[in-house]
Amino acid sequence: MNRTTLSLIAGTTALAAVTGFAVLTAPDAGDTDTAKTAAVLPVERTSLLCPAPSISDLAETSYTSFTPVTKGTASDGKAELDSATGQSEGGEGGKKKADKPVLTPKEPGAPVTGDTSGGDAPALVGTAEGKFAPGWTVQETTEVAAGTGRGLQGVNCTAPDTEFWFPGASTAADRTDYVHLTNPDDSAAVVDIELYGKDGALESTAGESLTVQPHSSEPVLLSTLTDEKQENLTVHVNVRSGRLGAAVQALDDKLGGDWLAASTDPTGSLVLPGIPKDATAVRLVAFTPGDSDADLKVRLSSPSGQITPAGNETLHVKAGMTTAIDLGDVTRGEAGSLILTPTDQTVPVVAALRVVRGKGDDQETAFIPATRPVGTRATSADNSAKGSTLSLVAPGQAAKVKVTASAGSDGGTAVSKTYTIKAGTTQSVEAPKPSGGKGTYALTVEPLSGGPVYAARTLAATEDGVPGFTIQTLPDDRGTVAVPEADEDLSVLQK
């Protein structure tokens, strides 16, 4: 075999370890030796993007970084979280780095924190390599004492991508919603922002072919893209060229605010985990991007099993139109999760929940997008001993799950507990806490047996009687990738 062919095989394996993607030629029928069982290897590089946290002068923002300990990683590596604008081109000298990284993790297994204040904090771009890459998780948490969007706002920094769906946004008079677009690359990105309301696509050309410059971040106010005031919208971010990080910051004049993360890709069945037991109002917003209407069964997964919300047994979602239903205090004092499944024909759908806690002037809002299952492992980076609640959902089969509390940011040792989640239930578990630890800590969820598990973490911090809270779902951290083992096949040189 010549060097080119050998290099191609080696290069494909390396690519898979870095990106989780590889293309292999399928073997001929009956050839069982050409492609062997895939090896599961840790990823070697991870990129994360954090949006600019707030425009409020009263904002206090913290960042928490955590990498779980992963077997098989390299012995070295590094991770940094820098200002997106601090990585702009620096002429002949190349990229001009920020003077000082916001975060520089020291070792996997222990969280590292950083903080900033005011309304001028920039978007951040992070890269982790080697032993810091597999499962690297960063959370951005902001407290805003007063004004529009006051309360607790949290978002997991995300990998760059090319398409995002955000059901649950709004251009109503009391809402100020921005979609934040962050470009980590050396070339400009071109993006379309489409808005879909109750009657379909909103007519607008202002969201077409928007350019996001290299190493920059742009907050786009949704009300500048349309004159229509609609309570419930679905935002579609479609990147024509390049790649971006995207998140919607939803700020309400009376109900506080939070970050709305992207829904999982359109699919026929959806799980929205972790509705707090004391939720006073829950709104479901759904959208189907295809040409067919979707009819969905609506089920609440409670601690005792699945029940049907009274008066909302099914949901009809018209093609290309955003549909919303108010479920009220659907949990009735017990933590729960919403499960959407097709009544008959499977039609891809995206969905999110707007959750309100409190009453009167002391109300606060958070969002729960439909999410992927935990898969192999998922991590919540920013937790406190008193303010964190973990919800675990087994929508089909029962499952056994291990939850590990890492060492604290100021010391301590990790502690693990195992939980059994009954089929069809949501369990709000008392998560473990690090032994002798102080500061914030990470929670890592690893299914051990049984069916798929979904998870979400609620972080609460009450200030002046206002129940500030934020909810983050815990999808698979994609810290490992399957790399097929391939043998040399000399026949390819004879074809």
Side-chain angles (χ1 to χ4, degrees), residues 275-287:
I275 307 171
K277 64 181 181 180
D278 58 351
T280 53
V282 177
R283 175 180 295 170
L284 169 64
V285 183
F287 176 80

Side-chain angles (χ1 to χ4, degrees), residues 92-324:
E92 295 181 359
K95 293 181 184 178
K96 182 175 65 178
K97 296 285 286 184
D99 293 336
K100 181 181 179 181
V102 175
L103 284 177
T104 305
K106 296 179 180 180
E107 287 294 334
V112 174
T113 62
D115 56 69
T116 187
S117 60
D120 297 327
L124 304 180
V125 174
T127 302
E129 298 175 343
K131 64 182 180 181
F132 292 98
W136 188 38
T137 303
V138 177
Q139 175 160 325
E140 172 185 296
T141 307
T142 302
E143 290 189 50
V144 179
T148 298
R150 57 96 180 98
L152 195 64
Q153 303 171 19
V155 63
N156 281 330
C157 304
T158 58
D161 208 338
T162 58
E163 187 176 35
F164 307 86
W165 294 94
F166 299 99
S170 179
T171 54
D174 54 358
R175 282 275 289 270
T176 306
D177 286 18
Y178 296 85
V179 56
H180 286 246
L181 306 173
T182 304
N183 181 2
D185 296 328
D186 295 336
S187 57
V190 179
V191 59
D192 293 334
I193 302 176
E194 301 165 339
L195 306 179
Y196 296 89
K198 57 185 177 60
D199 298 317
L202 274 59
E203 293 186 8
S204 172
T205 58
E208 295 179 2
S209 300
L210 299 177
T211 298
V212 183
Q213 296 299 325
H215 304 288
S216 71
S217 184
E218 296 289 341
V220 180
L221 182 60
L222 295 187
S223 60
T224 64
L225 304 181
T226 179
D227 293 330
E228 294 193 40
K229 300 294 183 183
Q230 293 215 11
E231 184 70 25
N232 305 292
L233 288 176
T234 298
V235 178
H236 181 214
V237 176
N238 183 39
V239 185
R240 292 191 186 185
S241 64
R243 56 182 193 150
L244 295 170
V248 170
Q249 191 172 37
L251 309 176
D252 194 285
D253 291 344
K254 299 179 181 178
L255 301 178
D258 208 342
W259 289 95
L260 169 58
S263 171
T264 190
D265 292 338
T267 188
S269 298
L270 299 172
V271 178
L272 300 93
I275 307 171
K277 64 181 181 180
D278 58 351
T280 53
V282 177
R283 175 180 295 170
L284 169 64
V285 183
F287 176 80
T288 176
D291 296 328
S292 300
D293 293 0
D295 288 290
L296 301 169
K297 295 179 183 178
V298 180
R299 298 291 183 270
L300 179 71
S301 171
S302 73
S304 57
Q306 294 188 13
I307 59 177
T308 301
N312 292 294
E313 296 83 1
T314 61
L315 177 66
H316 181 73
V317 185
K318 294 183 179 180
M321 302 180 188
T322 297
T323 300

